[in-house]
Amino acid sequence: AQKVTQAQTEISVVEKEDVTLDCVYETRDTTYYLFWYKQPPSGELVFLIRRNSFDEQNEISGRYSWNFQKSTSSFNFTITASQVVDSAVYFCALSEARGNQFYFGTGTSLTVIP
Amino acid sequence: DGGITQSPKYLFRKEGQNVTLSCEQNLNHDAMYWYRQDPGQGLRLIYYSQIVNDFQKGDIAEGYSVSREKKESFPLTVTSAQKNPTAFYLCASSMSPWERVSEQYFGPGTRLTVT
C-alpha cells in the first residue's frame, strides 16, 4: 500500500503566487517522522524539514511553511511569493518508528513561470 | 566540506556488463542507502546498511549487490541480471536510526544508461 501520496504530479504557477504542495501519509505507528525534500534539475535531493508525530506545530522558514495535521494525515508544504528558483521536484517522505526505511511519495514537479 | 560524493555523474555501459557505482561520505554517518529513481515513480530503496559489514535488501534488490567494508563507502554493483538498469541512482546517508530517526543526506546521483 502507498504510504505517502502526493496527488499533484505537476503544478505551474506564475512568479510571486503562493503554492501549496499536498502530502498525505498512511501509518499505523504512533511514532513516525515526516520529511520534505527538494530536487532541483541538478538531481541532488536537498533536505528541507523533518517533523515528528508528536509535534503538530506548524513551521515557517522564510517563504516556506509546513502544515502538519494528524487528523487528516497530511503534511502540506506552502511556498509564499514563489520564485523561479523554486522550480524543482518536491518529495514528501515518511519514516516509521524503527527508522530503517524512508517511504517517498512520487513527487510534485513545480514550475514557476517568470 | 562534509558531504556525499558519487562518481561518475554519467555512466554508459553495454548490456550484459556489470557496473559499480561509487558512494563515499565524510559525515561520519553509520547508515547508508541506495535508491533508484525512475520518471514518475519517486525513489525506491535498493539496499541499506546501518553498520559496517552489514546490509539489508530494500524493495528492489534483485539484480543489485552492495558491500560495506568501510564506514565511509557503500558501493553498488548493477549486475547483468538487472533487467532494466537504466535509471538515476542516488546514494544517501544518515545517523544511525537506532539512535535517532534523522534526515537522510543525498549525493548528487549517477545517471546510468545501458544500451
Side-chain angles (χ1 to χ4, degrees):
Chain A
Q2 187 83 0
K3 287 185 176 283
V4 177
T5 301
Q6 295 180 257
Q8 305 152 307
T9 305
E10 296 180 1
I11 300 176
S12 291
V13 298
V14 176
E15 201 171 19
K16 297 183 184 175
E17 287 184 346
D18 298 348
V19 59
T20 295
L21 310 182
D22 298 333
C23 173
V24 174
Y25 62 91
E26 178 185 335
T27 181
R28 293 184 178 178
D29 285 8
T30 55
T31 302
Y32 53 89
Y33 303 82
L34 297 163
F35 305 81
W36 274 95
Y37 285 84
K38 174 182 180 180
Q39 185 178 39
S42 60
E44 182 172 344
L45 267 74
V46 177
F47 165 71
L48 296 178
I49 190 171
R50 169 185 180 270
R51 172 67 78 224
N52 73 55
S53 53
F54 299 109
D55 182 2
E56 285 193 76
Q57 279 193 339
N58 292 331
E59 180 150 345
I60 298 174
S61 176
R63 295 184 298 106
Y64 294 172
S65 62
W66 290 269
N67 184 301
F68 177 29
Q69 291 197 341
K70 288 175 77 170
S71 60
T72 56
S73 297
S74 65
F75 186 44
N76 297 337
F77 172 30
T78 297
I79 301 174
T80 303
S82 60
Q83 299 176 0
V84 173
V85 293
D86 296 328
S87 296
V89 180
Y90 291 86
F91 289 96
C92 180
L94 164 74
S95 183
E96 293 172 324
R98 286 183 304 160
N100 291 343
Q101 189 165 341
F102 273 37
Y103 300 95
F104 284 85
T106 51
T108 297
S109 177
L110 173 65
T111 301
V112 180
I113 303 165
Chain B
D1 279 21
I4 301 174
T5 56
Q6 291 184 245
S7 61
K9 180 75 172 174
Y10 299 94
L11 192 53
F12 298 88
R13 280 293 182 270
K14 294 289 188 185
E15 197 172 321
Q17 293 179 335
N18 290 355
V19 58
T20 297
L21 312 184
S22 76
C23 177
E24 305 277 333
Q25 56 99 359
N26 61 5
L27 299 168
N28 200 32
H29 284 164
D30 288 305
M32 296 187 73
Y33 311 82
W34 273 106
Y35 292 91
R36 170 182 172 138
Q37 185 177 19
D38 295 283
Q41 294 195 40
L43 278 70
R44 292 183 290 169
L45 183 65
I46 305 173
Y47 268 99
Y48 64 96
S49 167
Q50 295 182 349
I51 54 172
V52 174
N53 293 322
D54 185 63
F55 46 82
Q56 306 295 327
K57 292 182 179 180
D59 299 322
I60 56 165
E62 185 175 348
Y64 300 97
S65 66
V66 293
S67 63
R68 186 87 187 277
E69 297 176 2
K70 298 187 300 182
K71 186 176 184 178
E72 304 78 22
S73 179
F74 191 40
L76 173 74
T77 297
V78 184
T79 75
S80 55
Q82 167 51 234
K83 298 197 183 316
N84 296 297
T86 294
F88 187 51
Y89 291 88
L90 286 157
C91 178
S93 71
S94 73
M95 292 171 56
S96 171
W98 293 331
E99 297 174 21
R100 171 181 178 264
V101 176
S102 69
E103 55 275 15
Q104 294 181 7
Y105 292 93
F106 285 80
T110 293
R111 194 166 297 278
L112 173 64
T113 302
V114 176
T115 57

